[in-house]
Amino acid sequence: MKLFFLFLLALLTINLTNASLNLDKGKMEYSLKIGEESCQIVSLTSDDYEGTIKVRDVWAENQNEDENLNKYTFFASNHKITIKYIDTILDFNDRIDFEVCLTADKSGGFKGALIFTPDAKTNVVVEIGTWLIVNVEETTLINPISSGESRSGSGD
């Protein structure tokens, strides 16, 4: 009987450690101008996980923040960033190509992360994520009058 329980425990441990999610990108870099939307695709795959996956984003207070996720307590809106993605993947099985779109209303450099959390039936939850590195530039206005032209106010 004791041998049976050890075998069952080993089998459960193998199943828990083998269930994994994989992302094709460790980071997603966005370079955009104020008001411009930029979208990228990230692929989430798994050979053995099926079910629901919750998705959320977290942001650092400033660009110089290190990569300690405990310090990523801001929202995209704190930086005047609008981020669009599917926040819940229902019936995940095998692979999904996932679009992430950003628009910003403020210039600067921003760091965030997109976190994928499988719906765990246990207290053990293993999340996977990708870094979001965002550079937003001011929109430059182009003067419609070239420097070689001149205008005169004399009505000749």
Side-chain angles (χ1 to χ4, degrees):
M1 188 73 155
K2 185 176 180 182
L3 185 59
F4 173 74
F5 284 117
L6 287 174
F7 174 75
L8 185 60
L9 180 62
L11 186 61
L12 288 173
T13 303
I14 289 169
N15 285 338
L16 286 176
T17 58
N18 284 342
S20 64
L21 297 174
N22 302 299
L23 290 170
D24 68 336
K25 297 177 183 171
K27 69 178 173 179
M28 299 171 73
E29 296 186 54
Y30 292 84
S31 291
L32 55 146
K33 298 195 181 311
I34 291 177
E36 173 185 60
E37 182 177 65
S38 179
C39 298
Q40 291 186 37
I41 302 287
V42 62
S43 296
L44 180 67
T45 59
S46 179
D47 292 333
D48 51 11
Y49 178 79
E50 294 180 6
T52 301
I53 298 174
K54 300 280 186 185
V55 184
R56 64 187 166 88
D57 59 293
V58 294
W59 295 84
E61 181 177 358
N62 60 56
Q63 185 179 17
N64 298 323
E65 199 69 59
D66 63 9
E67 294 180 351
N68 178 352
L69 278 176
N70 292 330
K71 295 181 180 181
Y72 281 59
T73 58
F74 274 53
F75 298 102
S77 59
N78 293 120
H79 300 301
K80 298 191 189 271
I81 294 173
T82 301
I83 183 168
K84 295 187 276 186
Y85 54 82
I86 301 168
D87 63 354
T88 304
I89 303 168
L90 299 172
D91 301 322
F92 174 82
N93 183 7
D94 189 41
R95 176 188 177 103
I96 187 171
D97 292 328
F98 192 83
E99 187 174 54
V100 182
C101 296
L102 294 174
T103 308
D105 292 331
K106 178 175 122 179
S107 65
F110 309 98
K111 282 185 182 177
L114 198 62
I115 310 293
F116 297 81
T117 308
D119 186 23
K121 305 289 187 246
T122 67
N123 289 336
V124 178
V125 176
V126 178
E127 298 177 313
I128 189 168
T130 183
W131 294 110
L132 300 170
I133 310 299
V134 181
N135 241 340
V136 183
E137 295 178 6
E138 293 278 343
T139 307
T140 55
L141 298 175
I142 299 172
N143 188 349
I145 301 173
S146 68
S147 60
E149 293 181 25
S150 63
R151 296 203 176 213
S152 169
S154 66
D156 293 291

